[in-house]
Amino acid sequence: MNSPIPDTCCSLHPYFKINEGCNEKFKEIVGKFCEQVKKETGCVHYNFSFSGEDEAHCREMYKNGEALLFHLENVGAALGEALENAKVERLEFHGTQEDWDKCKEKLTPLGTKCFILDSRGVRPQN
């Protein structure tokens, strides 16, 4: 096993409240998101999880702030469609101060809560 490296990836955590009767449409849009993200070389992982019929969370991580900003541009149309069927109840950014500085102009107007990573964190390499 290789030595661990510093954890400097950044992640975005949107929590959605799905409008009544829009669950199936929202899940259809999730498929669009997942297809678009397959083209993103800076994406570490990306998936949605659901709680009941009206809550969803997107678990997404990127190599750096540039990759996160690329993602936001890449999924802009699908996000607009998603927001016709749900609202974002909470949006979190987790990353380095450097990446927050790169992303805050786009994320602050969305009401994003920022969490800065502790510099002692590691990512084991398998």
Side-chain angles (χ1 to χ4, degrees):
M1 177 156 52
N2 297 326
S3 297
I5 59 173
D7 176 20
T8 58
C9 289
C10 58
S11 58
L12 202 56
H13 302 268
Y15 295 84
F16 295 91
K17 179 75 167 178
I18 302 169
N19 299 340
E20 187 174 336
C22 295
N23 185 279
E24 289 306 313
K25 180 64 175 170
F26 188 83
K27 286 185 175 182
E28 179 184 313
I29 297 163
V30 164
K32 292 179 184 182
F33 280 120
C34 292
E35 281 304 310
Q36 288 177 289
V37 170
K38 288 179 183 178
K39 304 171 195 163
E40 298 180 14
T41 59
C43 183
V44 176
H45 65 74
Y46 188 87
N47 203 353
F48 276 79
S49 53
F50 295 87
S51 178
E53 293 291 315
D54 66 347
E55 291 182 287
H57 171 257
C58 185
R59 189 178 69 135
E60 50 189 295
M61 183 175 287
Y62 304 93
K63 291 180 181 177
N64 52 41
E66 289 90 359
L68 188 152
L69 290 172
F70 178 83
H71 167 75
L72 292 175
E73 291 295 321
N74 186 39
V75 300
L79 180 58
E81 215 179 323
L83 294 176
E84 292 173 5
N85 295 278
K87 68 176 182 173
V88 176
E89 291 206 310
R90 181 176 174 97
L91 180 60
E92 300 173 2
F93 167 92
H94 296 255
T96 65
Q97 183 67 54
E98 179 182 350
D99 284 328
W100 173 247
D101 290 343
K102 290 175 187 171
C103 297
K104 67 182 174 184
E105 185 178 329
K106 291 277 187 193
L107 296 177
T108 300
L110 304 174
T112 306
K113 182 159 177 116
C114 171
F115 293 85
I116 301 300
L117 290 174
D118 186 297
S119 62
R120 298 168 291 184
V122 296
R123 272 188 16 198
Q125 292 189 38
N126 298 327

